[in-house]
Amino acid sequence: MKVLDKAQGDGWAAYNADTVEFTAGMPSNSIDFSVYSPPFSSLYIYSESERDMGNVSSHDEFFESYRPLIRDKLRVTRPGRLTAIHVKDLVYYSNSSAKGDRGLYHFTGDCIRHHVDLGWTFHRLITVERCPVKEMQKTKADRLLYKHFREDAARTGGGMPEYIAVFRKWADGMTDTDPVLHPPAEFPLDVWQEWANPVWRGLPETDVLNVGAKSDEERHLCPMPLNLTRRLVLQYTNPNETVYSPFLGIGSEGYVSIRHGRRFIGTELKPEYFRRAVHNLKEAEGNRLVGDLLAGATA
Ligand SMILES: C[S@@+](CC[C@H](N)C(=O)[O-])C[C@H]1O[C@@H](n2cnc3c(N)ncnc32)[C@H](O)[C@@H]1O
């Protein structure tokens, strides 16, 4: 499969392509930071394409296709710099379990294990607080029901947080790597203290780009929240540096990067999402933030 479609603007480019093939062709040490949500293994199927990484029948099959990307992402990242992935653990039920049990699959742990196995250094894990009441209302998950809490609390679990796992490309000696600089006038101590918290609280999951999507095809199943993306892009890149999202979706990571004066590259397999991403990236280009770069990033 080649690049099916391509769009570019001032400081950004988006490709309708298979990310594994595309990333394999990218130049080494050309990316300053990557940030994205991978498909959560087999949780959602985004398209009928057999290249859709969500279109798999097992977690092993998912990692078989994800591993070459993890390896190439390391090659294309500049020494000393980072990749941040937005993930969560997955609930499974008896109908999909050989043992007939119900429980949790530690997808986050497997993502960390595969990154480390392929040469990344595990750098940081941020827990993103999520509300169990909203989760119960949305999913009706057995493990969150008050009825079970009263009748047999051993059946109950708890709410599912999201995580941001951050990895670093370690370079020998780390002496000639370019720093990411944050002048205190722009990034005061209290901002750093809040961002350094291992648990990020009070960042609404509804802060997403789906607003404005006109059809189900365009509305993304799980866009990455803009508030999480903003903190990561601002903390881990200098202005004008290049951010990469191998799973562009409708363009959330690009939208944030471009608005905040970063360069951006993204790849997406599904044509409908790709087209919506291009629309969103053009909007970001015409809507760059000037002055207070922290706008919206401290919430
Ligand atoms: C979790 S979503 C990313 C959402 C995105 N962060 C956003 O905010 O819109 C994962 C995306 O990966 C895409 N995808 C799956 N397999 C792919 C592949 N082989 N190459 C490129 N994109 C792929 C899916 O179509 C889906 O849009």
Side-chain angles (χ1 to χ4, degrees):
M1 177 181 169
K2 299 264 171 354
V3 170
L4 295 178
D5 202 355
K6 173 185 172 180
Q8 57 190 57
D10 182 17
W12 63 268
Y15 300 88
N16 181 195
D18 180 342
T19 192
V20 176
E21 276 183 12
F22 186 88
T23 311
M26 285 169 71
S28 300
N29 305 329
S30 59
I31 295 298
D32 297 292
F33 181 52
S34 51
V35 56
Y36 62 94
S37 312
F40 294 161
S41 192
S42 50
L43 184 63
Y44 302 117
I45 299 177
Y46 299 97
S47 62
E48 290 308 308
S49 169
E50 58 183 34
R51 292 166 184 270
D52 176 357
M53 276 196 211
N55 198 359
V56 288
S57 55
S58 69
H59 301 310
D60 286 347
E61 204 187 311
F62 169 77
F63 280 105
E64 226 171 86
S65 48
Y66 187 25
R67 277 177 67 90
L69 173 68
I70 298 175
R71 186 185 292 117
D72 267 311
K73 195 174 58 151
L74 182 68
R75 181 184 58 75
V76 304
T77 300
R78 281 174 51 205
R81 293 307 188 86
L82 305 143
T83 186
I85 62 169
H86 170 236
V87 284
K88 64 180 185 182
D89 295 334
L90 307 173
V91 178
Y92 68 83
Y93 298 94
S94 39
N95 57 1
S96 63
S97 153
K99 224 164 98 180
D101 61 341
R102 299 177 204 175
L104 297 182
Y105 166 53
H106 194 18
F107 178 59
T108 309
D110 269 356
C111 286
I112 295 170
R113 191 167 60 77
H114 285 281
H115 273 76
V116 171
D117 185 46
L118 291 166
W120 287 94
T121 296
F122 183 32
H123 187 70
R124 175 181 191 186
L125 186 65
I126 302 160
T127 302
V128 181
E129 182 193 53
R130 290 298 178 225
C131 172
V133 177
K134 284 190 192 139
E135 185 187 329
M136 188 278 294
Q137 287 160 347
K138 200 164 137 191
T139 63
K140 303 281 179 274
D142 191 70
R143 55 203 313 283
L144 291 175
L145 297 182
Y146 182 53
K147 175 180 181 316
H148 294 155
F149 177 74
R150 292 189 323 261
E151 291 170 1
D152 178 8
R155 288 179 68 171
T156 57
M160 302 289 286
E162 293 167 16
Y163 299 99
I164 311 278
V166 184
F167 306 89
R168 194 162 187 211
K169 176 169 174 172
W170 201 260
D172 278 347
M174 284 285 197
T175 46
D176 58 355
T177 55
D178 289 337
V180 179
L181 297 169
H182 288 322
E186 285 172 37
F187 291 85
L189 176 65
D190 59 333
V191 168
W192 164 231
Q193 287 172 338
E194 194 183 335
W195 292 7
N197 197 319
V199 183
W200 285 1
R201 298 180 200 280
L203 297 173
E205 56 204 290
T206 48
D207 183 20
V208 293
L209 271 184
N210 260 341
V211 178
K214 290 183 190 65
S215 67
D216 284 350
E217 278 296 288
E218 284 188 348
R219 194 168 297 110
H220 203 281
L221 289 170
C222 53
M224 181 156 175
L226 301 173
N227 43 23
L228 307 180
T229 314
R230 253 182 234 123
R231 283 190 181 190
L232 295 163
V233 167
L234 288 177
Q235 178 167 346
Y236 288 127
T237 60
N238 293 305
N240 284 319
E241 287 190 341
T242 303
V243 177
Y244 178 44
S245 171
F247 298 104
L248 177 64
I250 57 171
S252 316
E253 300 88 277
Y255 182 85
V256 166
S257 302
I258 295 166
R259 286 201 75 203
H260 286 276
R262 273 65 178 168
R263 306 173 72 77
F264 180 76
I265 301 173
T267 54
E268 169 58 44
L269 186 66
K270 186 170 164 171
E272 291 83 359
Y273 290 163
F274 167 77
R275 285 196 288 274
R276 191 71 205 163
V278 171
H279 169 92
N280 288 329
L281 300 185
K282 283 184 179 160
E283 188 181 304
E285 186 186 332
N287 205 359
R288 284 201 166 95
L289 289 167
V290 279
D292 185 7
L293 287 185
L294 281 180
T298 46

